[in-house]
Amino acid sequence: MKQINRLKVVLVEQKRTGKWLAETIGYDVATVSRWCSNVTQPPLKVLYKIAGLLDVDIKDLLVSSKNTGE
C-alpha cells in the first residue's frame, strides 16, 4: 500500500494517540485509524485542521512526492 500521509509518525513523535486526535477533531476512532494506516486519507480541510492542532506545517503530514520514482 502506498504511503501518502505521515500522520501516524507525527502522532508518535508528539506522543499523541489516534484516539486523542479522533476525540479532538470529532471523528470516529476507526476513521482516524484508517488515516493513520493509509487505508484512506483525511479530507484536505481536516488535514489542515490536524496540522494546526499538532502545530506542524501541513507538508509535515504528507509523504514527499519528489524522488519516489513514480
Side-chain angles (χ1 to χ4, degrees):
M1 182 176 307
K2 183 174 170 70
Q3 298 295 308
I4 296 174
N5 75 61
R6 299 182 62 249
L7 187 52
K8 184 175 183 176
V9 173
V10 175
L11 285 171
V12 169
E13 289 172 351
Q14 296 201 5
K15 295 177 178 58
R16 300 285 187 170
T17 65
K19 182 179 179 185
W20 168 85
L21 181 60
E23 291 171 353
T24 304
I25 64 173
Y27 275 78
D28 187 72
V29 174
T31 299
V32 173
S33 176
R34 287 191 297 274
W35 296 342
C36 288
S37 59
N38 276 278
V39 171
T40 61
Q41 300 303 317
L44 191 53
K45 280 179 112 174
V46 175
L47 200 62
Y48 190 81
K49 183 176 183 177
I50 292 168
L53 285 169
L54 297 174
D55 195 29
V56 297
D57 190 297
I58 196 168
K59 292 185 296 184
D60 295 334
L61 296 176
L62 300 170
V63 174
S64 174
S65 63
K66 294 191 180 225
N67 303 320
T68 61
E70 294 181 21

